[in-house]
Amino acid sequence: DRQTQQLSGGEQQRVALAATLVGDPRLVLLDEPLSMLDPEAAADIAAVLRREVTAGPGVVIVEHRAAELDAAGLVPDRTLTLGQPAVPPARERTPRRPGEVVLDRTLRDVRRDADGPVVLPEVSVRLRAGSVTALTGPNGSGKTTLLMALAGLLPGTADPASPGVGMVFQRPENQFVASRVGAEASYRADPGVARSLLERVGLSG
């Protein structure tokens, strides 16, 4: 029954993750989930991500703190870079458990708003269940824009035929729709499943 704005950054990230997973999405988009966390909280969230999201859905992560993801065992199956990379891309490896294709789309002329400039002229994305894809690139290269386009949150990018997609924002407070943790995790979902997910991400109390 705690108010979401009273939670720490790490707790907010866990609530946002639980509220996203409760819908059992086939694809999870994570926009810098460690960006505002201290090292201990970042390690906790990275461990939750490894345990939860690599078990089934396809995952796309925008994250600059790759070493902390790696330390928790969440090593991307592949790394994609937008724009000119500031550092060499991380090594790619064979996907651990390639599953069915959960998203196969080509986006053209992606804009942040209807009247704004084109951020991504064209990008094709094919993602499989159980795989983790890291999206890298300098600030302003279009990483968050691509995630929001895949989630159908930008003008002209909604696609009713796309599979279920859950997204955790870089600033989780921007996606909360309820003022209490339990209500947020169970919004438009089964309360029992929400309680189970809150327990799995370390918020059972």
Side-chain angles (χ1 to χ4, degrees):
D1 293 325
R2 292 174 62 189
Q3 294 186 2
T4 51
Q5 67 265 31
Q6 293 176 339
L7 302 179
S8 70
E11 289 172 327
Q12 288 183 340
Q13 285 286 10
R14 295 181 200 189
V15 173
L17 183 59
T20 296
L21 293 175
V22 76
D24 193 25
R26 300 178 68 195
L27 178 65
V28 177
L29 309 175
L30 301 164
D31 191 5
E32 297 194 42
L34 310 183
S35 63
M36 296 180 290
L37 306 183
D38 62 67
E40 182 176 350
D44 287 344
I45 293 299
V48 168
L49 292 174
R50 175 182 56 79
R51 187 174 65 248
E52 294 296 326
V53 302
T54 61
V59 181
V60 179
I61 301 176
V62 170
E63 186 54 72
H64 296 287
R65 296 165 70 173
E68 291 175 64
L69 292 176
D70 186 74
L74 190 65
V75 181
D77 299 300
R78 61 177 178 162
T79 299
L80 305 178
T81 301
L82 298 182
Q84 294 296 318
V87 295
R91 62 180 177 83
E92 297 186 9
R93 63 186 185 83
T94 304
R96 63 193 121 232
R97 56 173 76 82
E100 65 175 322
V101 174
V102 295
L103 187 83
D104 191 354
R105 293 186 61 189
T106 296
L107 300 167
R108 294 181 177 85
D109 298 332
V110 178
R111 307 166 188 267
R112 291 191 180 95
D113 55 72
D115 299 322
V118 172
V119 177
L120 297 169
E122 181 173 334
V123 60
S124 295
V125 182
R126 193 168 192 260
L127 302 168
R128 290 185 174 274
S131 67
V132 177
T133 300
L135 187 60
T136 67
N139 292 338
S141 60
K143 301 183 299 294
T144 296
T145 298
L146 177 56
L147 290 191
M148 295 186 73
L150 292 177
L153 299 177
L154 296 180
T157 60
D159 184 353
S162 293
V165 176
M167 182 170 177
V168 177
F169 289 16
Q170 181 177 356
R171 295 179 178 273
E173 67 271 21
N174 292 342
Q175 73 186 77
F176 291 149
V177 296
S179 61
R180 301 281 177 176
V181 172
E184 177 67 27
S186 61
Y187 179 73
R188 299 177 67 181
D190 179 85
V193 175
R195 283 193 296 272
S196 174
L197 282 168
L198 285 173
E199 183 175 351
R200 281 159 51 186
V201 298
L203 288 176
S204 58

